[in-house]
Amino acid sequence: MAEVATARRSRITPEREAELYGAVLDLLREVGYDALTMDAVAARTRSSKATLYRQWGGKAELVVKAIRHNKPGQVTDIDTGSLRGDLHALLTREDDCTMEQNSALLRGVAMALHRNPDLRQALREQLIEPETAEFRRVLQRAVDRGEIRPDCPALDFLLHMMVGGFATTVLLDEQPPTRAFLASYIDAVILPALGVPAP
Amino acid sequence: MAEVATARRSRITPEREAELYGAVLDLLREVGYDALTMDAVAARTRSSKATLYRQWGGKAELVVKAIRHNKPGQVTDIDTGSLRGDLHALLTREDDCTMEQNSALLRGVAMALHRNPDLRQALREQLIEPETAEFRRVLQRAVDRGEIRPDCPALDFLLHMMVGGFATTVLLDEQPPTRAFLASYIDAVILPALGVPAP
């Protein structure tokens, strides 16, 4: 929604926007967040720096918007009729290869968080909070169906449970988790914590 | 055990060893892992570099041993008679201030993992695997008492659940979790995932 509004206001076509985000992600993979400059983005995309700043405000916002644009579909597009179905369907959005590319990207950004409060803020506002809100809708549907008790305390910790499933293998093995691993983790940890029986 | 054997072999007193580890942690807080040199450790502790290498093998091993030495007590010293009691007792080993200091230290080391395979290996072998083994004993006692079913699938994911509780707030808020937060997380996520009713 926000992207569409911005694109309309400034008459950047969605194709041009996608191309620009792709170039930002390429640069991010090549040089990492700290070494990425707005000059390099401008040169790579044949834009003026003034346009980039006017459109995105700064490097942190541009990078986070590019990551968000790269994510496959909306969480709330998924509605299988059961919480387990929804969580497992989320996994099939990305194959293991995409997951590996994205994991490397996100690890680079995670490393830069400590030194860059503006990146932390952009990540929280533009990516984590919207995604968390989408997950809350998935969970709310499960509450409405009677799968999760409305006062289930684990409802407040979905983000933490998911970070645990992702970040541990990335940190310790330099490997993103496979889909098979995440499917086991959903069944062994997330569903039981939410009081939903797993098969 | 390993430390005691090494200390005896090389006649470094436990006091001298503790002093040396303290200096390593001070340096780590001051300059971070990447900028920490064996020269600086040698100068700060008035040791010879040859001694340091002979005793610890290298920077990665020395840093991880220092972190391990700094940890309060053994997990398995705790035996309250219930899993919930044991997990909550683990939290009281560190107050929020110590947790904040250690969190900053561990964040610095986590940031350096990607660039340093030897650090990753030392961390896994010297810290994660021994701590995981201790936690397994805590969980095994709960299985033996009949609190956890022996085939509970969440038994394989304790490390992931705990990393989720710790790392999420550290990454996003630059703050370690408080003891109160971790206590809620244990009751809301870890115990239910293990099939142990929380109050």
Side-chain angles (χ1 to χ4, degrees):
Chain A
M1 291 287 282
E3 283 90 330
V4 174
T6 310
R8 194 182 299 139
R9 194 165 60 240
S10 57
R11 301 176 192 205
I12 284 186
T13 63
E15 292 72 23
R16 173 71 179 136
E17 206 184 359
E19 186 191 343
L20 208 138
Y21 288 147
V24 170
L25 296 182
D26 285 345
L27 275 168
L28 199 57
R29 288 193 189 92
E30 288 165 26
V31 303
Y33 182 83
D34 286 320
L36 187 148
T37 63
M38 291 297 254
D39 280 315
V41 174
R44 181 77 62 102
T45 60
R46 296 198 178 84
S47 322
S48 79
K49 255 170 67 176
T51 305
L52 295 178
Y53 277 108
R54 197 170 52 241
Q55 191 80 16
W56 283 279
K59 179 170 109 170
E61 292 81 358
L62 176 57
V63 164
V64 172
K65 281 271 173 67
I67 291 171
R68 190 177 173 188
H69 185 267
N70 187 45
K71 291 186 78 72
Q74 292 268 73
V75 172
T76 37
D77 291 345
I78 290 168
D79 189 359
T80 65
S82 77
L83 179 64
R84 178 165 192 265
D86 286 357
L87 294 180
H88 281 265
L90 281 170
L91 295 182
T92 64
R93 296 186 308 167
E94 295 181 76
D95 59 28
D96 284 345
C97 177
T98 318
M99 194 117 71
E100 190 159 337
Q101 288 172 354
N102 289 341
S103 165
L105 204 71
L106 290 174
R107 183 180 53 219
V109 171
M111 297 294 166
L113 285 177
H114 176 49
R115 291 179 298 276
N116 299 283
D118 57 338
L119 178 62
R120 228 153 50 222
Q121 190 186 340
L123 193 76
R124 192 186 291 113
E125 290 178 2
Q126 305 285 336
L127 198 66
I128 312 256
E129 285 173 5
E131 288 255 313
T132 306
E134 289 190 44
F135 274 106
R136 289 207 162 276
R137 284 191 284 275
V138 170
L139 293 177
Q140 186 56 49
R141 289 202 311 254
V143 171
D144 294 343
R145 282 191 302 259
E147 284 190 279
I148 306 178
R149 289 177 49 156
D151 61 351
C152 175
L155 284 168
D156 291 332
F157 296 107
L158 186 69
L159 180 64
H160 302 83
M161 290 190 275
M162 290 180 28
V163 167
F166 269 95
T168 312
T169 43
V170 173
L171 267 178
L172 295 183
D173 307 324
E174 290 279 292
Q175 288 288 330
T178 61
R179 287 203 291 181
F181 171 89
L182 288 174
S184 315
Y185 184 76
I186 288 172
D187 287 348
V189 173
I190 299 184
L191 294 174
L194 291 165
V196 178
Chain B
M1 292 289 281
E3 284 90 331
V4 175
T6 311
R8 195 181 299 137
R9 192 164 62 240
S10 56
R11 300 176 192 207
I12 285 187
T13 63
E15 292 73 22
R16 175 71 179 138
E17 206 183 359
E19 185 191 344
L20 208 139
Y21 288 146
V24 170
L25 295 181
D26 286 344
L27 275 168
L28 199 58
R29 288 193 188 92
E30 288 164 28
V31 303
Y33 182 83
D34 286 321
L36 187 147
T37 62
M38 292 296 255
D39 279 315
V41 175
R44 181 76 63 101
T45 60
R46 298 198 175 84
S47 323
S48 79
K49 257 170 67 176
T51 304
L52 295 178
Y53 277 107
R54 196 169 52 238
Q55 191 79 16
W56 282 280
K59 180 170 108 168
E61 292 80 359
L62 176 58
V63 164
V64 172
K65 282 269 172 69
I67 291 171
R68 190 176 175 188
H69 186 266
N70 187 44
K71 290 186 79 71
Q74 293 267 71
V75 173
T76 36
D77 291 345
I78 290 168
D79 189 359
T80 66
S82 78
L83 180 63
R84 179 166 192 264
D86 285 357
L87 293 180
H88 281 266
L90 281 170
L91 296 181
T92 64
R93 295 187 307 167
E94 295 182 75
D95 59 28
D96 284 346
C97 177
T98 318
M99 194 116 71
E100 192 159 335
Q101 289 173 353
N102 289 341
S103 166
L105 203 72
L106 289 175
R107 183 180 53 221
V109 170
M111 296 294 165
L113 284 177
H114 177 48
R115 291 179 298 276
N116 298 282
D118 57 337
L119 178 62
R120 228 154 51 224
Q121 190 186 341
L123 193 76
R124 192 186 291 111
E125 291 178 2
Q126 304 285 337
L127 198 65
I128 313 254
E129 284 174 5
E131 288 256 312
T132 305
E134 289 190 44
F135 273 108
R136 290 209 161 275
R137 283 190 284 274
V138 170
L139 293 177
Q140 187 56 49
R141 289 202 311 254
V143 171
D144 295 342
R145 281 190 302 259
E147 285 190 278
I148 307 177
R149 288 178 48 156
D151 60 352
C152 175
L155 284 169
D156 291 332
F157 296 108
L158 185 71
L159 180 65
H160 302 84
M161 292 191 273
M162 291 183 24
V163 167
F166 269 95
T168 313
T169 44
V170 174
L171 267 178
L172 295 182
D173 307 323
E174 290 279 293
Q175 288 288 330
T178 61
R179 287 202 292 180
F181 171 89
L182 289 173
S184 315
Y185 184 77
I186 288 172
D187 286 348
V189 173
I190 299 184
L191 293 174
L194 291 165
V196 178

